[in-house]
Amino acid sequence: MDFDLSDELIAVRDLAREFAEKEIAPTAAQDDKAQTFRGDLVRKMGELGFYGTMIPEAYGGNELGALAMVLITEEIARVHSAMRVGINMQIGPALTLLQFGTDEQKNKFIPGLMTGETIGCFAITEPDAGSDVAAMRTTATKDGDRYLLNGGKLWISNGPVTNGGLVYAYTDRTQKHRGMSAFFAEWDQPGLTRRTLETMGAHCSPLGELTFDNFPIPTANLLGKEGDGFKICMWQLNQTRLNCAAGALGVARAAKEAAVNYCNQRSQFGQKIGEFQMNQDSIAQMIAHEEAARLLVYRAAWLADQKRPNNLEASIGKYCAAEAANFAADAAMKILGAYGYSTEFPVERYYRDAKSYQIVEGSSNVQKMIIAQDALGYRKANR
Ligand code: GRA
């Protein structure tokens, strides 16, 4: 077992760290407050190749691997978690196109996602279909050489700003989940109404409601066959879950660093507050949870790089990393006291952003369901 990163991976991690500290950190607080979507930074990350680590060069990628994606994502999320979401919105559609798309679809859509010219998304969730993906109601009805989409999607990351991404809809509702299909939609056309939604955290990652009224998608943009949508969706979620897990590691690390720094600066009762054992207990637990989660997430990425199944490992990693991020943000808030609660300092942002990781891409409870049902023999996670 080799725990050392290759020189190439160290270089890409350092590049991401430098980019995050130089380009994202200086305006992170004001971007968060103003809820600014930083399309310029999305394109800059594209220029640096951050979206292409699992994509061949022919489509604008660099094939550095899944572990490279995790390392980059963690560095970006450590500085500003909301900017991490944008990475996933580029990678998710690109990987799914690579896996299920025709040559024409790959050539047409992946390069734009790599550069950030296409602002991606994946539209799965609906008002009554969150954890239960198969409960979605949006339909896609064939009409000559196009499908017409009717229905709506809710809580869609990049919803207000996306110009191209994945959407899942029923082409045959009588077939239950086997009647779901996956499409690549080019959004800037009539038939789509967007509404921006407000949330507690991840403010620079715009979240939206999409409503479809005969929204057209060319039949050429169907991924796989009609009815392949549910399996494509499960496959996609397994890839994008790893990105969320890496994001949670970044938040856990940021909160821990804030707590450690503060413990070394702040004195009360005549001594540095790091001298108090109750704070040491918090710091020790933050570090243990974060390090354990990191090993799990890296293992899931390593398995992906070996082309081995990793659904179970990605779920374990995502669950543990989300919980570690929340533990760390909560503990940092307690250690920093009013300085943690104040909106003039970043810990309250970590706290708000951490919550998203227990919700997105399969809530912590969905991950536990996947893990437990695999152990009990009810539903195999790796297939
Ligand atoms: O037997 P079959 O042919 O009918 O196939 C079944 C099964 O074998 C069928 O699907 C197949 N299947 C899979 N195939 C490949 C199930 N899981 C997989 C898989 N991993 N790979 C139906 O299976 P089922 O077990 O009956 O499915 P289910 O109970 O309806 O759902 C399972 C489950 C709960 C795990 C699933 O629905 C799920 O993952 N739910 C969570 C939804 C989720 O993660 N949503 C995320 C929304 S996007 C988002 O959060 C954006 C965040 C952005 C960001 O922050 O980055």
Side-chain angles (χ1 to χ4, degrees):
M1 200 180 291
D2 183 359
F3 287 99
D4 283 327
L5 295 176
S6 67
D7 290 346
E8 192 177 50
L9 287 173
I10 290 170
V12 82
R13 181 198 64 192
D14 291 351
L15 177 70
R17 186 174 302 173
E18 197 184 322
F19 176 82
E21 287 176 353
K22 284 202 178 133
E23 305 267 348
I24 300 178
T27 56
Q30 80 196 50
D31 289 341
D32 176 71
K33 283 201 175 78
Q35 312 209 359
T36 315
F37 172 65
R38 295 293 305 271
D40 58 326
L41 293 180
V42 172
R43 279 184 294 279
K44 277 191 182 170
M45 288 197 278
E47 276 166 31
L48 291 172
F50 288 179
Y51 311 134
T53 65
M54 286 170 278
I55 300 290
E57 281 181 28
Y59 304 116
N62 51 55
E63 281 186 305
L64 288 172
L67 188 50
M69 181 279 287
V70 163
L71 295 169
I72 292 167
T73 303
E74 180 184 334
E75 293 301 330
I76 302 299
R78 167 179 166 255
V79 167
H80 195 170
S81 174
M83 295 302 301
R84 183 289 305 167
V85 185
I87 299 181
N88 212 17
M89 294 305 115
Q90 303 304 113
I91 292 179
L95 286 179
T96 310
L97 283 159
L98 185 70
Q99 180 76 4
F100 299 101
T102 60
D103 286 347
E104 194 191 335
Q105 290 169 342
K106 291 181 205 176
N107 281 314
K108 192 166 173 196
F109 300 124
I110 298 178
L113 289 160
M114 293 297 100
T115 60
E117 191 187 326
T118 302
I119 300 291
C121 78
F122 36 93
I124 305 168
T125 304
E126 299 186 2
D128 295 321
S131 297
D132 185 3
V133 172
M136 71 172 60
R137 291 185 185 160
T138 297
T139 55
T141 312
K142 207 164 183 181
D143 175 46
D145 60 357
R146 59 188 190 165
Y147 288 90
L148 295 175
L149 228 60
N150 283 289
K153 298 286 173 183
L154 196 65
W155 314 121
I156 305 306
S157 299
N158 272 355
V161 293
T162 176
N163 54 351
L166 300 174
V167 62
Y168 296 87
Y170 275 107
T171 40
D172 183 353
R173 298 186 70 157
T174 63
Q175 298 299 309
K176 303 251 170 78
H177 66 270
R178 295 195 183 122
M180 190 184 292
S181 300
F183 303 89
F184 189 86
E186 297 159 273
W187 295 118
D188 292 330
Q189 302 177 67
L192 170 67
T193 313
R194 310 181 195 229
R195 184 166 72 94
T196 302
L197 306 169
E198 301 271 331
T199 46
M200 170 182 174
H203 284 163
C204 298
S205 158
L207 203 69
E209 178 174 24
L210 306 176
T211 306
F212 313 121
D213 178 12
N214 285 331
F215 178 81
I217 300 181
T219 50
N221 290 17
L222 173 72
L223 292 189
K225 302 187 301 300
E226 277 190 16
D228 287 350
F230 193 83
K231 288 206 169 151
I232 294 177
C233 186
M234 291 302 115
W235 185 90
Q236 182 235 292
L237 286 172
N238 186 50
Q239 318 306 313
T240 45
R241 235 158 235 170
L242 198 51
N243 181 276
C244 294
L249 291 180
V251 175
R253 198 167 115 213
K256 173 203 67 191
E257 287 171 355
V260 167
N261 288 339
Y262 190 74
C263 279
N264 278 329
Q265 283 164 14
R266 171 87 166 169
S267 293
Q268 290 287 275
F269 304 105
Q271 57 184 342
K272 292 276 187 277
I273 63 165
E275 307 267 0
F276 294 112
Q277 285 191 353
M278 278 191 264
N279 287 338
Q280 291 177 7
D281 170 74
S282 289
I283 287 172
Q285 288 198 59
M286 277 190 230
I287 291 170
H289 293 319
E290 178 198 332
E291 291 286 321
R294 181 168 292 107
L295 288 176
L296 291 167
V297 176
Y298 285 13
R299 176 181 67 164
W302 179 84
L303 283 167
D305 285 334
Q306 311 307 308
K307 312 279 178 235
R308 283 163 57 182
N310 72 344
N311 295 20
L312 177 64
E313 292 78 7
S315 279
I316 297 172
K318 198 265 176 181
Y319 167 62
C320 289
E323 297 307 313
N326 279 275
F327 180 86
D330 185 58
M333 180 76 85
K334 286 178 201 153
I335 289 174
L336 273 88
Y339 293 99
Y341 196 54
S342 163
T343 55
E344 285 178 38
F345 299 94
V347 167
E348 63 85 29
R349 171 161 58 85
Y350 306 152
Y351 189 90
R352 287 186 284 109
D353 289 352
K355 288 318 280 181
S356 72
Y357 291 103
Q358 292 172 319
I359 298 165
V360 293
E361 297 264 348
S363 64
S364 283
N365 282 348
V366 163
Q367 307 311 330
K368 286 191 277 185
M369 188 170 99
I370 292 170
I371 297 162
Q373 293 189 355
D374 181 83
L376 292 161
Y378 299 165
R379 173 167 53 194
K380 201 165 157 40
N382 285 340
R383 46 189 104 201

